[in-house]
Amino acid sequence: MSAKSAHEDDLSQETTRFRCNDALYFAFRTCGESQTLQPVGRVYTDSSRTFTLDDLSVLSVLEYATSPRTRSELLDFVEHEFSVSSETAETTLETLVSGDFLLPADDPIFRRRSEWMERTWRRALYYHVATRDIDYIDDTPDDRYESRETALDSYRNENSPPDLFGDFEKSTLVPLGEPDALPQRSLESVLLERRTVRNYSGESMTESELSTLLAHTFAPVADVREYIAKNLDDDPTLHLLSAQYPFDVFVIVGRHETLEPGVYRYAMREHALTIVEPLADPVEVDGLLDEISHQPYSRNSAITVLFTQNIDRERWAYRHDNSLRNLYVKIAGHAQRLILAGVSMEFGAFQTPALDDPVVDALVDVDGFTNPASYLVTLGK
Ligand SMILES: Cc1cc2nc3c(=O)[nH]c(=O)nc-3n(C[C@H](O)[C@H](O)[C@H](O)COP(=O)(O)O)c2cc1C
């Protein structure tokens, strides 16, 4: 621990009381070729830093400082607890303060963070803070393109990139048929008309309506994916473009002119569906939608589209966990196009990402670790 802390000068003030930083966590990390586990402490202030810990006995000092302590109290504690000289105790204390393990008890950060803690947003705070300071691989105006190309080439040499479309080779596909054009309406009128709808009539969606809705929502995605597939060898930076679509699409059919109720997966390239799980009838579908959202608002709707995250696609191209935020935003953007296409066809839409993760992941049969379902859009009249 050598990084300079804003609080080292406070150590010279005899009256300053120090308190253990309340945003710390300890973990074991694999390190080196031997893959041994090394204890580390991650410390959060306005940013986050990780320190390897050579000696876990330091935890007893932090525990002692869960109540505010003066410098001399802390020095006494360290000297007696570890039977060390006063110089060694001083060094230990300086190290803990410079690493922000100990902070002045009146540091405003305790107050600024308290609402995160009290409202059980602690883990969100850790993620938020830890992903605020990222290293840009292409932060070099003169050769931005080259630095991206080099990085992506090296990723490609390590392991192959995730597939672009998903594998439907062994699936039985039900073609959705030719889509119609979207009704000629101004974007302004569609935007102004859109409202969240929580009450549906039970009317079924027709074949051409479902085809039109999915085709117009996802055609831009399918087109770009095709372009990437064709040109990737010439331009590895297209991997960054492929990571703009870090999702897959499932359709839960409740009421449709010809399709049986069930969970289907959408094959974008083929513009077709493949059955994942047949369901008995629209009433069973309504019950399952209640269970996955814990809300009754999808009842009597026609279909529900579920966006599942394709974390691998995002993570392969973007090597910083900050990108999980991008992934959420990207999915929301595509979901919004679905909603607006639906509104232009006079469907109402209800949307929520507040899903019961294990239940929804089991329903669509995805691995919640790498392909969790994250956004639900229900459509109906
Ligand atoms: C990301 C997101 C999540 C939402 N989650 C819910 C939800 O869980 N339950 C609900 O009833 N409405 C939900 N809504 C709908 C909002 O409550 C609604 O958009 C807001 O009240 C504004 O109304 P409007 O959509 O009719 O303009 C959500 C909307 C968005 C954009």
Side-chain angles (χ1 to χ4, degrees):
M1 288 182 217
S2 59
K4 175 89 177 141
S5 151
H7 304 302
E8 279 171 79
D9 294 343
D10 292 309
L11 263 179
S12 55
Q13 310 286 327
E14 198 47 59
T15 51
T16 305
R17 286 166 173 268
F18 289 89
R19 218 183 105 184
C20 177
N21 187 334
D22 60 351
L24 291 179
Y25 78 69
F26 298 94
F28 289 93
R29 282 217 181 141
T30 41
C31 65
E33 285 189 1
S34 61
Q35 296 280 294
T36 49
L37 290 173
Q38 165 80 49
V40 295
R42 195 159 176 98
V43 183
Y44 296 85
T45 50
D46 283 338
S47 60
S48 69
R49 289 186 287 166
T50 304
F51 300 97
T52 53
L53 300 174
D54 298 328
D55 186 355
L56 286 180
S57 58
V58 75
L59 293 181
S60 62
V61 188
L62 298 178
E63 187 188 15
Y64 177 66
T66 48
S67 302
R69 308 285 180 185
T70 62
R71 175 176 180 273
S72 57
E73 283 172 329
L74 286 161
L75 287 174
D76 270 359
F77 180 86
V78 175
E79 261 184 76
H80 291 108
E81 179 81 1
F82 305 136
S83 307
V84 292
S85 66
S86 58
E87 289 77 25
T88 307
E90 293 258 10
T91 312
T92 305
L93 195 54
E94 276 164 21
T95 307
L96 290 175
V97 171
S98 69
D100 290 324
F101 285 86
L102 293 176
L103 297 168
D106 60 357
D107 191 312
I109 199 150
F110 286 109
R111 188 174 30 79
R112 285 172 55 213
R113 291 195 304 217
S114 63
E115 289 196 353
W116 290 78
M117 309 291 190
E118 283 158 16
R119 295 175 193 179
T120 37
W121 272 51
R122 176 183 287 271
R123 285 168 300 182
L125 171 71
Y126 288 168
Y127 178 71
H128 171 66
V129 170
T131 55
R132 282 172 64 81
D133 45 355
I134 67 174
D135 293 329
Y136 292 87
I137 58 162
D138 53 358
D139 205 7
T140 42
D142 295 338
D143 62 353
R144 184 163 286 144
Y145 184 86
E146 285 75 9
S147 41
R148 283 182 194 168
E149 199 172 21
T150 312
L152 288 161
D153 261 341
S154 79
Y155 302 161
R156 214 153 52 158
N157 290 337
E158 278 164 28
N159 48 36
S160 49
D163 71 86
L164 278 164
F165 285 97
D167 183 6
F168 290 92
E169 247 176 45
K170 297 197 186 84
S171 311
T172 307
L173 294 177
V174 183
L176 283 164
E178 278 303 303
D180 293 331
L182 281 178
Q184 287 288 320
R185 295 190 51 186
S186 75
L187 177 61
E188 184 186 12
S189 76
V190 172
L191 288 171
L192 290 175
E193 187 184 304
R194 188 211 58 80
R195 291 284 178 282
T196 297
V197 173
R198 300 181 180 83
N199 205 336
Y200 296 94
S201 65
E203 191 176 323
S204 293
M205 192 175 275
T206 66
E207 271 188 52
S208 74
E209 282 170 339
L210 181 58
S211 171
T212 303
L213 193 58
L214 295 181
H216 288 284
T217 301
F218 296 112
V221 180
D223 287 352
V224 177
R225 283 181 177 170
E226 290 289 4
Y227 176 84
I228 295 166
K230 284 201 189 90
N231 296 289
L232 204 45
D233 284 343
D234 298 332
D235 183 358
T237 63
L238 288 176
H239 283 302
L240 293 177
L241 201 53
S242 87
Q244 301 313 308
Y245 311 110
F247 62 85
D248 297 299
V249 179
F250 289 79
V251 182
I252 304 176
V253 172
R255 294 167 181 84
H256 184 270
E257 189 179 26
T258 51
L259 286 171
E260 294 297 329
V263 179
Y264 296 79
R265 184 162 184 212
Y266 180 49
M268 208 174 280
R269 196 178 223 169
E270 297 81 1
H271 189 48
L273 294 177
T274 181
I275 187 83
V276 175
E277 179 73 28
L279 298 169
D281 52 39
V283 178
E284 185 185 10
V285 175
D286 286 352
L288 287 167
L289 292 169
D290 280 10
E291 273 179 42
I292 63 178
S293 66
H294 291 255
Q295 303 180 64
Y297 305 134
S298 302
R299 284 182 199 167
N300 297 314
S301 62
I303 63 143
T304 291
V305 175
L306 270 170
F307 291 79
T308 56
Q309 298 169 35
N310 192 314
I311 292 181
D312 201 25
R313 223 174 266 152
E314 180 81 27
R315 192 179 46 194
W316 190 90
Y318 293 100
R319 304 282 167 114
H320 194 289
D321 51 8
N322 170 289
S323 226
L324 186 62
R325 302 195 219 157
N326 287 321
L327 189 158
Y328 296 151
V329 173
K330 289 172 192 173
I331 289 181
H334 293 284
Q336 194 64 16
R337 198 167 52 242
L338 169 68
I339 293 167
L340 294 180
V343 172
S344 77
M345 296 168 65
E346 298 189 347
F347 286 103
F350 165 72
Q351 64 284 315
T352 185
L355 304 174
D356 188 323
D357 293 332
V359 176
V360 67
D361 291 343
L363 177 66
V364 290
D365 194 23
V366 288
D367 173 359
F369 207 62
T370 49
N371 297 99
S374 71
Y375 206 12
L376 166 157
V377 180
T378 283
L379 293 138
K381 292 266 161 92

